[in-house]
Amino acid sequence: MPGSRTHTRTRSTRTALTTALALAGLLLGTACTPGGATAESASGPVHLTFWSSLRGSQEVVDAFNRTHDDIHVDFEQVPSGQQGGYAKLSNAARAGNAPDVATIEYPQVPGFAIDGVARDLTPYLSKRLRAKLLPQALALTTFEGRTFSVPQDVEPMVFLYRRDLFAKYGIEVPRTWAEFEDAARAVKRKAKGKRIATFPTDGGHHLAGFAWQAGARWFDTRGGRWTVSMTDGPTRKVTAYWQRLIDEKLVFLNPVDTQAGTAQVGRSEVFGKLTGAWDAGGMMSSQPGQKGKWGVAPLPQWDRKHPRVGTHGGSTFAVTKDSAHPREAMEFIEWQVSSPAAWRARLSSGISSQYPAVPALLPVLRKAMDTRYFAGQDIYALFDREARHISRRWTWGPRMTATLKTVQDGLARAGDGEGTVLGAVEEGQRSTMPDLKSLGLDAREGSR
């Protein structure tokens, strides 16, 4: 594509996002080369490139290629995270050679849409697939009626807990955050050296999920502009709650996604873990010796009469602006997310407790799950209920990786006694505003 047209598309993309994230300008990307070209030589199948960091992707691609003659997918495993696959994807897009299909986690979807990397898939998303997807999942990739990626899984936050420890010390599994605080006091009093859970200092995503559940709206595009409100009332309620538990030493305060955090669980020092549904499988893999000791409960609620949760984790598939075969790319994506054969192939790579964005596939995942680890509990029945409680008020921001890194840096300082949980989100908001304005977006800070 000539440079002038690339500039036009980028400008139109940002203009559309400025006006309530309409993103209509990205439709231009479906009509210009190379993205709009769909003609293919009759000499063989259409070849697609697919980049992903997800485990089991090679097995999925192999299964697809065995069963499809008209499309062949070439797979490349990429590292996870901003300095791995995302940086590689951004660099490739700038050079005009991004893959046809790429895996993007939910918080990064708006950013890749703004940058013009993720194609507007609205013209390609079939009514058949739309009807299959959990609405709460699809809402996270759809802005003002425009869909920019297709959900693979969506991970409601839950409470993984040690059945044996709660029973041993005669403590009830909490159903509300008030009960969680009471239980935390009981654990500290009755079980020397143990705590009910760990507040993760590497948990920017966790804190976002807690705020989401409480009704926070860190980013809002209503009214034709980006409003950033990371210190709104619900968020302040959440940060005050956790600061109190931290100050009174009712929870551990340290990183959890580390060897030290895993060892903490292995030593039975914590009664539970507040995390995404996917992490039940992670527990099975990291703590095989604790089979039968764990259960899964809903995330504690602020109001049990009006249950609501946020998410922690989940991936989507995007078709990039450089794809010459967007319709074939969407055919591959639809097969990945909605075919039982695709999910069986993915699950063959190892233990997983992902909650599929197509709920009709739950029988496939149930069959692959060894429920003995959770004492026979049907954890997918719980995941299914909780997924339908995911609040649809939430929108991720345009530069969420940078925003969450700033929040996590603040949480790390809080862990060292040099800051607070509220201070971490305040700094996150301060650092985010210049990023939004540098993108040419109409942005303002919301009222508290």
Side-chain angles (χ1 to χ4, degrees), residues 193-363:
K194 302 182 189 297
R195 294 294 184 270
I196 191 170
T198 299
F199 182 83
T201 55
D202 55 351
H205 289 87
H206 291 82
L207 185 56
F210 294 144
W212 182 348
Q213 180 201 31
R217 202 165 191 163
W218 284 5
F219 296 89
D220 190 357
T221 58
R222 292 174 299 176
R225 63 169 53 174
W226 282 90
T227 301
V228 186
S229 303
M230 294 179 63
T231 58
D232 61 8
T235 302
R236 287 176 173 272
K237 177 172 73 173
V238 167
T239 57
Y241 177 88
W242 285 107
Q243 192 65 56
R244 182 168 65 252
L245 268 59
I246 291 167
D247 291 344
E248 296 184 24
K249 296 182 171 52
L250 300 180
V251 292
F252 290 127
L253 182 64
N254 57 258
V256 294
D257 292 330
T258 61
Q259 289 185 346
T262 300
Q264 195 176 47
V265 175
R267 293 191 297 265
S268 300
E269 292 175 355
V270 291
F271 276 52
K273 188 176 183 182
L274 301 157
T275 186
W278 64 270
D279 209 7
M283 192 68 70
M284 295 171 70
S285 297
S286 64
Q287 307 293 343
Q290 295 180 358
K291 178 187 287 189
K293 297 181 178 180
W294 285 89
V296 185
L299 194 70
Q301 290 290 331
W302 293 103
D303 181 357
R304 290 190 65 203
K305 293 181 179 179
H306 302 94
R308 181 168 53 194
V309 297
T311 73
H312 177 237
S315 297
T316 76
F317 298 122
V319 178
T320 75
K321 53 95 176 177
D322 291 329
S323 177
H325 313 289
R327 296 190 186 280
E328 290 84 354
M330 268 300 299
E331 182 178 340
F332 170 55
I333 289 174
E334 181 166 351
W335 186 85
Q336 270 211 86
V337 304
S338 66
S339 166
W343 273 91
R344 282 193 290 267
R346 188 174 298 282
L347 294 170
S348 71
S349 68
I351 297 170
S352 174
S353 63
Q354 292 174 285
Y355 178 81
V358 174
L361 292 169
L362 282 174

Side-chain angles (χ1 to χ4, degrees), residues 15-228:
T15 299
L17 273 149
T18 300
T19 58
L21 197 61
L23 297 168
L26 282 177
L27 285 172
L28 296 175
T30 66
C32 59
T33 59
T38 58
E40 178 69 18
S41 169
S43 61
V46 168
H47 278 258
L48 301 176
T49 52
F50 172 43
W51 291 0
S52 182
S53 62
L54 296 179
R55 190 184 66 190
S57 293
Q58 183 66 66
E59 288 82 352
V60 170
V61 169
D62 291 343
F64 181 86
N65 287 338
R66 284 194 301 268
T67 55
H68 292 73
D69 296 328
D70 55 342
I71 303 173
H72 182 88
V73 179
D74 296 310
F75 173 63
E76 181 176 340
Q77 187 88 27
V78 295
S80 62
Q82 182 63 24
Q83 300 308 313
Y86 292 146
K88 181 180 175 73
L89 178 58
S90 294
N91 291 336
R94 281 193 288 270
N97 57 8
D100 294 278
V101 179
T103 300
I104 302 176
E105 294 165 292
Y106 289 99
Q108 281 72 38
V109 173
F112 279 111
I114 287 174
D115 292 342
V117 177
R119 179 188 294 266
D120 180 358
L121 298 180
T122 311
Y124 307 105
L125 185 62
S126 68
K127 292 182 179 179
R128 177 183 61 249
L129 179 56
R130 186 181 295 275
K132 292 178 181 178
L133 290 165
L134 184 76
Q136 289 87 340
L138 187 59
L140 290 170
T141 65
T142 301
F143 314 100
E144 295 298 314
R146 306 288 181 178
T147 298
F148 288 85
S149 62
V150 179
Q152 157 78 3
D153 62 308
V154 63
E155 308 297 340
M157 292 193 76
V158 295
F159 183 41
L160 306 182
Y161 69 97
R162 284 284 297 269
R163 294 175 181 271
D164 57 330
L165 294 179
F166 274 95
K168 177 180 178 180
Y169 292 98
I171 301 170
E172 294 290 327
V173 177
R175 298 167 298 174
T176 67
W177 287 113
E179 290 177 1
F180 186 89
E181 184 171 350
D182 291 341
R185 297 182 191 282
V187 170
K188 182 182 178 182
R189 184 174 66 253
K190 295 181 177 183
K192 184 177 180 180
K194 302 182 189 297
R195 294 294 184 270
I196 191 170
T198 299
F199 182 83
T201 55
D202 55 351
H205 289 87
H206 291 82
L207 185 56
F210 294 144
W212 182 348
Q213 180 201 31
R217 202 165 191 163
W218 284 5
F219 296 89
D220 190 357
T221 58
R222 292 174 299 176
R225 63 169 53 174
W226 282 90
T227 301
V228 186

